[in-house]
Amino acid sequence: MSAAAAAAFRTTMPAFFPNARAVRSIRVPGDVRTCCRNLGKSGLRVSCLGLGTWVTFGSQISDEMAENLMTIAYENGVNLFDTAEVYASGRAEITLGNIIKKKGWRRSSFVVTTKIYWGGQAETERGLSRKHIIEGLRGSLSRLQMDYVDIVFANRNDVNSPMEEIVRAMTFVINQGMAMYWGTSRWSAMEIMEAYSVARQFNLIPPVCEQAEYHYFQRDKVEVQLPELYHKIGVGAMTWSPLACGLITGKYSDGVPECSRAAMKGYQWLKERVNSEEGRRQLAKIKELHLLADRLGCTAAQLAIAWCLRSEGVSSVLLGVSNTDQLLENLGALRILSQMTPQTITEIDALLGNKPHSKKESRA
């Protein structure tokens, strides 16, 4: 966040959040309740901002902080909570389940999603075999202390499992009441189309959503490939990493802070990405985007999240936050959705210089 934007955000905090110490009473202007969208062309209504648990729950943050984040999110209309069997080796699911049980929220009032692929060390404990999809989801439900999840995602495709086996297993867990819908995560458009075709051929249940990385520097899939799938077969997009693992906030402009994600064990890849030549070019563009955010009266993070939400076919953007200030700031992105005018988008595209072109545009 730039100094000017940060100052503006701090200045408005007392007016926006008069009871900031009382977590349960915090409300964000531009309430998320006013921004629900259908998940693809399904009938499931999800908040356009969801709360993710990757890196944070069961690992980077305390259970108390996790509860504070979920409370603020839920009471501001966020009804989507995303996790996976692999996050913190299952501890993220345990933390999420414990908090939901403690809060006593109506199960019908929120959506929980989990992802299956990496479940353990044994060959039979990972992948998308019928065995692991069923056993992995049972394990997730046990850790979550739930009878069902709303959406189970295949957390990447498995070349060792036939597509028919994957689709049949997903149909089975839905028919058994273990999940309401199923989706894909980090699948190619061709793989998603194959799953849909198999489902239609054998009268099975097709996927309704793809989870995809989406931010200023990762655009092609969400802006070109997924809209085509949305129109053809109704698959929606649930996107993650809107801030490019924190790069877009500007926190890495002067190096890698000790408390940042890039400094954590197991995230050497992120540190290398930040320090690469491409990373330095991206940081230069981010500085220009911070100036645009200042002009619009918002923070760089809010601008980046609103930019993601303006994209066709995006049902929800998953937020990854480690403290309440970050969450409150990110939720404030909804206030500037109305400022995502064609003129603003064109200006951002000019700064980035990486707007992808559809097949129609390429032919033209």
Side-chain angles (χ1 to χ4, degrees):
M1 182 186 318
S2 67
F9 185 65
R10 284 194 298 270
T11 301
T12 55
M13 280 285 284
F16 285 172
F17 317 118
N19 299 309
R21 291 185 180 180
V23 170
R24 293 182 181 179
S25 62
I26 295 176
R27 288 289 186 275
V28 179
D31 200 325
V32 189
R33 286 186 184 85
T34 64
C35 185
C36 275
R37 299 175 177 179
N38 283 56
L39 183 67
K41 291 189 179 179
S42 77
L44 183 63
R45 298 284 286 175
V46 294
S47 52
C48 58
L49 295 178
L51 184 64
T53 60
W54 180 42
V55 183
T56 52
F57 280 41
S59 178
Q60 186 185 18
I61 64 175
S62 67
D63 289 355
E64 181 183 5
M65 175 58 72
E67 182 178 344
N68 287 342
L69 293 173
M70 286 191 65
T71 301
I72 292 172
Y74 183 79
E75 295 197 349
N76 280 281
V78 171
N79 73 357
L80 174 61
F81 301 99
D82 176 75
T83 188
E85 64 173 351
V86 71
Y87 292 171
S89 301
R91 293 191 303 277
E93 290 179 322
I94 292 171
T95 301
L96 182 64
N98 285 340
I99 293 170
I100 288 173
K101 185 177 181 180
K102 178 180 177 181
K103 301 304 291 187
W105 296 327
R106 296 188 321 280
R107 181 61 185 90
S108 57
S109 68
F110 57 87
V111 172
V112 171
T113 72
T114 195
K115 295 180 282 295
I116 302 296
Y117 191 95
W118 291 279
Q121 297 301 313
E123 284 291 324
T124 52
E125 292 176 326
R126 57 180 181 265
L128 297 177
S129 67
R130 178 182 177 88
K131 177 179 174 64
H132 183 57
I133 288 174
I134 296 170
E135 292 179 344
L137 183 52
R138 282 176 179 159
S140 290
L141 293 176
S142 176
R143 288 186 290 273
L144 288 164
Q145 303 174 72
M146 293 180 178
D147 295 326
Y148 66 92
V149 292
D150 297 275
I151 312 167
V152 55
F153 285 98
N155 199 9
R156 69 168 283 183
N157 190 27
D158 181 5
V159 296
N160 294 314
S161 298
M163 188 62 76
E164 184 181 339
E165 179 175 346
I166 296 170
V167 179
R168 285 191 182 278
M170 288 298 190
T171 300
F172 174 81
V173 297
I174 290 174
N175 288 339
Q176 291 294 307
M178 299 164 68
M180 300 289 191
Y181 305 85
W182 79 278
T184 57
S185 179
R186 301 191 296 177
W187 283 33
S188 69
M190 188 178 297
E191 290 165 344
I192 297 169
M193 198 67 202
E194 183 185 356
Y196 176 85
S197 298
V198 167
R200 287 292 174 247
Q201 180 181 355
F202 296 106
N203 196 28
L204 303 172
I205 300 173
V208 298
C209 180
E210 159 69 6
Q211 270 199 17
E213 182 178 4
Y214 184 47
H215 49 72
Y216 290 145
F217 308 110
Q218 188 81 30
R219 303 181 60 176
D220 187 73
K221 183 176 183 178
V222 172
E223 294 186 20
V224 177
Q225 299 172 27
L226 292 186
E228 193 172 335
L229 285 181
Y230 172 75
H231 289 295
K232 284 183 177 179
I233 62 175
V235 169
M238 187 182 292
T239 68
W240 49 275
S241 200
L243 305 181
C245 294
L247 191 73
I248 290 167
T249 64
K251 70 168 72 173
Y252 298 116
S253 296
D254 300 315
V256 178
E258 289 185 11
C259 59
S260 66
R261 185 177 298 184
M264 292 174 60
K265 183 179 178 181
Y267 289 86
Q268 180 65 27
W269 59 269
L270 180 55
K271 188 174 183 179
E272 291 173 357
R273 172 180 165 185
V274 170
N275 293 327
S276 69
E277 186 177 338
E278 179 64 20
R280 288 192 292 273
R281 282 198 296 267
Q282 291 176 352
L283 286 171
K285 292 178 180 179
I286 287 166
K287 287 182 179 179
E288 296 183 66
L289 289 163
H290 277 232
L291 296 176
L292 175 59
D294 288 343
R295 206 168 73 233
L296 294 174
C298 64
T299 69
Q302 290 169 340
L303 178 62
I305 293 166
W307 178 86
C308 290
L309 283 170
R310 109 282 174 212
S311 188
E312 181 188 21
V314 171
S315 301
S316 187
V317 173
L318 297 175
L319 307 175
V321 294
S322 58
N323 60 62
T324 54
D325 286 345
Q326 289 177 357
L327 177 58
L328 293 168
E329 178 189 357
N330 289 358
L331 292 177
L334 296 172
R335 291 186 299 105
I336 64 160
L337 265 179
S338 60
Q339 297 186 59
M340 291 295 101
T341 61
Q343 181 180 352
T344 301
I345 298 303
T346 299
E347 188 172 354
I348 293 173
D349 284 338
L351 286 173
L352 294 173
N354 64 354
K355 182 181 178 181
H357 297 286
S358 66
K359 292 178 182 178
K360 290 181 180 178
E361 290 173 325
S362 298
R363 284 196 295 269

